[in-house]
Amino acid sequence: MSYMIGLKCRECGRLYPKEVVFVCEYCFGGVEVDYDYDAIRRVLTKTALAARPKSLWRYRELLPIEGDPTVGLFSGFTPLFRAERLAEALGVEELYIKDDSVSHPSLSFKDRVVSIALTRAKELEFDTVACASTGNLANSVAALAARAGLKRYIFIPADLEMGKIIGSLIYRPTLVAVEGTYDEVNRLCAEIGAKYPWAFVNINIRPYYAEGSKTYGFEIAEQLGWRVPQHIVVPAAGGSLITKIAKAFKELKRLGLLEDASTKLYCAQAAGCSPIVNTIQARSDIVKPVKPNTIAKSLAIGNPADGYYATKTVLESGGWAEAVTDDEIIEAMKLLAETEGVFTETAGGVTAAAAKKLIEQGIIPKDESIVICITGNGLKTQEPLMNRLGQAARIKPTLASFESELASQLADVSVRQK
Ligand SMILES: *Cc1c(COP(=O)(O)O)cnc(C)c1O
């Protein structure tokens, strides 16, 4: 049973069949999946949900597939937890982390979009999938396509972190490292996609793919006991996730699962690539492309596909945006690890650092509920941490050697305390 009606242009509202359509032929607007919400309302109740498996497929009526899910059966339903020690460090009362750094199978929120995209690609009878990626999408498409038995072509900028490259190659895709920026990779992929009959998850089947990000929002609401936080800080690359969190809350309200869906959304980007933050801060609706230069490579999209919609979503929610330097990113990664035991990648550092700045500026009030979105794992972006974390204490395998090290550390501490 499918509740997907078809595709609908976000600008002119024109309807399209549920096939491979990604731009409106008439106005060139983006197209989005439309559902039969009245029918969904009758089946998707809190009681029904309570009995379902803890994966992103528990919200399947609101996802763009026609049959049963076939890919990514264990993705989603990552932890959301109260972050008391980080809250104390930031001087706020009620702070939560939604933690996709432990996502199955590839340790980033991209498993959500790829689970849906590949399930849909199989329904549309593709045998080959592909993507243009800043790293995490590459890992996820490579992993999930391997398990689904699909052929896989992955295109990345050549300068990615080792963790992202090894984390793709291990699944034996055809990995193509393009000498250029992500935006150049993406443009090349649009050309390749027009010539080869492949499902480019974030290009020609993007309307289906993008719906997967809603599950991050559904889970936040459900895990908070069917309410939304007053503030959510979200990292942005192409700008899709932030718009889909807003869409998720709106859908839950429409279905009667949320009484109040109003939350302020804040966009976090690195100062070295902040086209969406710039647009929001200028209260403009024209996104000016930039040339990225940041350690937050997974967010380094200079010409964001959903930048316009992300800006609109943030400003309509009453939220705001903040950009952070590479140093602030590293400090925030360390803070998150030291206070909450969460090792996030540079993108998570962007989110945590932006949250810190927004709180310090008084833009996010200290006594209201806040969720910060941690979307990737630190083991994938180790390079910027080299020489930033101190060293292991090196000793001989004897008790005496250990105790002499301990004594010198204690001496160190007492010197520092004076
Ligand atoms: C892709 C990605 C995002 C942002 O996704 P968009 O929907 O393109 O804005 C955030 N965090 C991480 C770690 C990502 O890989």
Side-chain angles (χ1 to χ4, degrees):
M1 175 75 193
S2 175
Y3 297 87
M4 172 169 53
I5 298 173
L7 300 171
K8 191 174 175 180
C9 175
R10 287 204 266 196
E11 296 304 323
C12 71
R14 193 175 291 267
L15 297 173
Y16 291 91
K18 32 194 170 179
E19 290 162 12
V20 183
V21 177
F22 56 107
V23 280
C24 177
E25 289 165 19
Y26 292 86
C27 76
F28 299 106
V31 300
E32 201 173 31
V33 180
D34 196 23
Y35 300 87
D36 181 352
Y37 292 102
D38 290 332
I40 296 175
R41 183 187 254 277
R42 289 192 286 273
V43 287
L44 195 65
T45 60
K46 289 180 191 174
T47 330
L49 273 165
R52 293 187 183 180
K54 290 195 160 45
S55 83
L56 56 78
W57 293 110
R58 61 201 276 106
Y59 312 105
R60 61 176 291 179
E61 288 87 350
L62 291 165
L63 295 172
I65 60 166
E66 291 183 278
D68 286 331
T70 54
V71 183
L73 302 184
F74 316 108
S75 298
F77 227 82
T78 56
L80 176 135
F81 53 89
R82 187 107 186 226
E84 283 177 350
R85 289 167 56 81
L86 181 60
E88 199 186 323
L90 299 180
V92 295
E93 268 167 38
E94 193 183 350
L95 180 70
Y96 302 87
I97 289 172
K98 173 63 176 168
D99 189 8
D100 266 15
S101 73
V102 292
S103 170
H104 187 275
S106 77
L107 305 178
S108 90
F109 113 94
K110 290 298 195 301
D111 292 326
R112 299 177 180 278
V113 281
V114 176
S115 299
I116 279 79
L118 297 199
T119 295
R120 187 68 188 136
K122 287 180 77 168
E123 289 182 347
L124 293 166
E125 297 183 341
F126 284 99
D127 66 359
T128 305
V129 294
C131 68
S133 171
T134 55
N136 283 317
L137 185 61
N139 295 170
S140 187
V141 170
L144 285 165
R147 185 167 154 82
L150 292 162
K151 280 178 260 173
R152 42 209 181 270
Y153 288 83
I154 313 278
F155 298 83
I156 53 169
D159 72 344
L160 283 193
E161 302 93 340
M162 189 55 78
K164 300 262 171 76
I165 293 173
I166 301 281
S168 297
L169 284 174
I170 187 73
Y171 306 106
R172 275 247 201 163
T174 301
L175 182 68
V176 183
V178 179
E179 293 166 1
T181 62
Y182 170 81
D183 300 284
E184 291 169 307
V185 177
N186 192 48
R187 193 202 43 73
L188 171 63
C189 285
E191 254 180 88
I192 296 170
K195 191 159 174 196
Y196 294 81
W198 301 343
F200 271 88
V201 300
N202 55 337
I203 303 177
N204 56 4
I205 59 166
R206 188 175 178 88
Y208 304 107
Y209 155 97
E211 289 288 289
S213 289
K214 291 191 306 190
T215 61
Y216 195 89
F218 296 148
E219 291 172 20
I220 291 175
E222 184 175 0
Q223 289 170 316
L224 284 175
W226 296 111
R227 66 181 176 110
V228 296
Q230 286 157 293
H231 310 272
I232 306 188
V233 188
V234 190
S240 178
L241 173 61
I242 197 164
T243 64
K244 294 294 178 173
I245 291 175
K247 184 177 182 188
F249 294 163
K250 271 194 202 129
E251 287 184 337
L252 294 179
K253 178 150 188 233
R254 183 167 179 178
L255 297 172
L257 292 167
L258 275 178
E259 255 169 56
D260 178 10
S262 50
T263 188
K264 291 183 175 159
L265 292 149
Y266 300 83
C267 172
Q269 292 196 298
C273 183
S274 56
I276 302 177
V277 171
N278 298 345
T279 315
I280 294 168
Q281 291 187 343
R283 295 185 185 279
S284 165
D285 55 9
I286 297 162
V287 183
K288 286 199 203 115
V290 302
K291 192 161 164 68
N293 179 17
T294 169
I295 57 169
K297 293 178 193 277
S298 56
L299 303 181
I301 297 186
N303 188 9
D306 288 296
Y308 167 77
Y309 294 110
T311 302
K312 214 167 133 199
T313 301
V314 167
L315 290 175
E316 276 171 8
S317 79
W320 195 236
E322 192 52 86
V324 296
T325 65
D326 285 356
D327 256 341
E328 289 170 326
I329 294 169
I330 291 175
E331 286 312 309
M333 288 166 78
K334 289 163 68 174
L335 181 66
L336 202 61
E338 287 167 22
T339 55
E340 296 297 336
V342 172
F343 184 16
T344 185
E345 68 157 87
T346 44
V350 168
T351 313
K356 180 167 185 277
K357 273 178 124 167
L358 291 160
I359 292 162
E360 283 166 2
Q361 292 162 8
I363 294 172
I364 297 182
K366 296 193 151 130
D367 58 350
E368 297 188 358
S369 53
I370 309 165
V371 167
I372 63 173
C373 301
I374 298 303
T375 48
N377 192 294
L379 290 170
K380 296 192 193 188
T381 62
Q382 298 187 45
E383 289 89 342
L385 297 175
M386 299 284 178
N387 308 317
R388 294 293 296 255
L389 302 177
Q391 298 267 315
R394 210 180 164 92
I395 63 167
K396 296 269 172 337
T398 64
L399 185 59
S401 180
F402 171 65
E403 288 186 328
S404 126
E405 174 59 34
L406 201 56
S408 82
Q409 289 212 353
L410 289 174
D412 250 20
V413 172
S414 75
V415 170
R416 261 186 278 138
Q417 281 170 349
K418 271 183 196 145

